Amino acid sequence: MPKTVYSVFPNYVFEGTFPIPSRLRKSIRNELEIIASDGRTLETNFGSLTNKNIPLEEEIQKLTLLAGNQFTTDASKVFLEKGSQIQICNPYLISINPGHIYPVQFEPCRWYNACVWLQTTNKGSMLYFEDFSAKSFSDRHSTQDHTHNIEPEEFKYVFWPTNVPWGHGPNLSMLDTIVLHMTFIIQE
């Protein structure tokens, strides 16, 4: 069950934290080290990315499936029809070096995005959403901002629609922020 469900610009965003046991956390950290050292990453000006077409390590693949199952469960409580088939597309890792940001992106050919922080601190790269339209969404209590930030936490997940531009803010920690990212499509 998601920790919180709310709308942004107005779209449904789901966030929560996976209860990952310490043994599995250690296995995932070991896999992150293997991936970083075996040449599967592309170095960038902000850190590195893994190739979307090369499979990730076993425990990270299991975490990808867990995220897909969690999204199906969360979305079916709000808007997803029973029996809908969700396909996970192109899971990859984003590593953001200290002092860097991951620029604004959006995935126009998918349905929902997902990210799971695998390595971070409370000063790591937050996820942010941007609304570049001139619309102003408000209720009787407040007007919604055009930027929305989600604080990082290890094994925290976030699901959001692909039409919302997103990025990762500055990594103010001394540790690389590593995020598992994927997209979903619905199979009719």
Side-chain angles (χ1 to χ4, degrees), residues 82-100:
K82 291 200 183 269
S84 297
Q85 297 294 313
I86 305 298
Q87 181 181 348
I88 300 168
C89 300
N90 300 334
Y92 63 101
L93 298 177
I94 302 169
S95 180
I96 305 160
N97 292 338
H100 290 80

Side-chain angles (χ1 to χ4, degrees), residues 31-136:
E31 288 182 356
L32 292 175
E33 289 176 16
I34 291 168
I35 290 169
S37 65
D38 72 0
R40 273 190 269 178
T41 58
L42 170 66
E43 296 302 316
T44 66
N45 60 344
F46 58 81
S48 64
L49 294 169
T50 58
N51 187 330
K52 295 179 184 182
N53 297 318
I54 297 175
L56 298 170
E57 296 293 313
E58 182 180 355
E59 298 299 339
I60 297 174
Q61 285 181 11
K62 289 178 185 176
L63 188 59
T64 301
L65 294 175
L66 177 63
N69 288 335
Q70 186 68 48
F71 173 72
T72 303
T73 300
D74 293 351
S76 66
K77 292 177 182 171
V78 179
F79 60 81
L80 191 63
E81 296 178 16
K82 291 200 183 269
S84 297
Q85 297 294 313
I86 305 298
Q87 181 181 348
I88 300 168
C89 300
N90 300 334
Y92 63 101
L93 298 177
I94 302 169
S95 180
I96 305 160
N97 292 338
H100 290 80
I101 65 167
Y102 183 73
V104 174
Q105 307 285 317
F106 77 103
E107 301 273 349
C109 298
R110 302 286 191 248
W111 185 47
Y112 255 77
N113 285 309
C115 81
V116 180
W117 281 270
L118 302 182
Q119 177 178 290
T120 191
T121 68
N122 61 343
K123 293 182 178 183
S125 294
M126 68 187 141
L127 176 67
Y128 66 89
F129 302 135
E130 292 283 353
D131 182 20
F132 296 119
S133 71
K135 291 181 182 179
S136 180

Side-chain angles (χ1 to χ4, degrees), residues 19-31:
I20 305 295
S22 60
R23 179 199 61 77
L24 186 56
R25 286 175 186 253
K26 190 177 217 178
S27 295
I28 289 172
R29 283 197 183 95
N30 290 340
E31 288 182 356

Side-chain angles (χ1 to χ4, degrees), residues 158-188:
V158 180
F159 309 126
W160 70 96
T162 58
N163 65 312
V164 176
W166 63 277
H168 285 278
N171 181 1
L172 302 176
S173 73
M174 299 301 290
L175 181 70
D176 288 356
T177 296
I178 301 176
V179 180
L180 171 63
H181 186 270
M182 68 201 81
T183 55
F184 303 119
I185 58 174
I186 190 166
Q187 300 291 322
E188 298 288 340

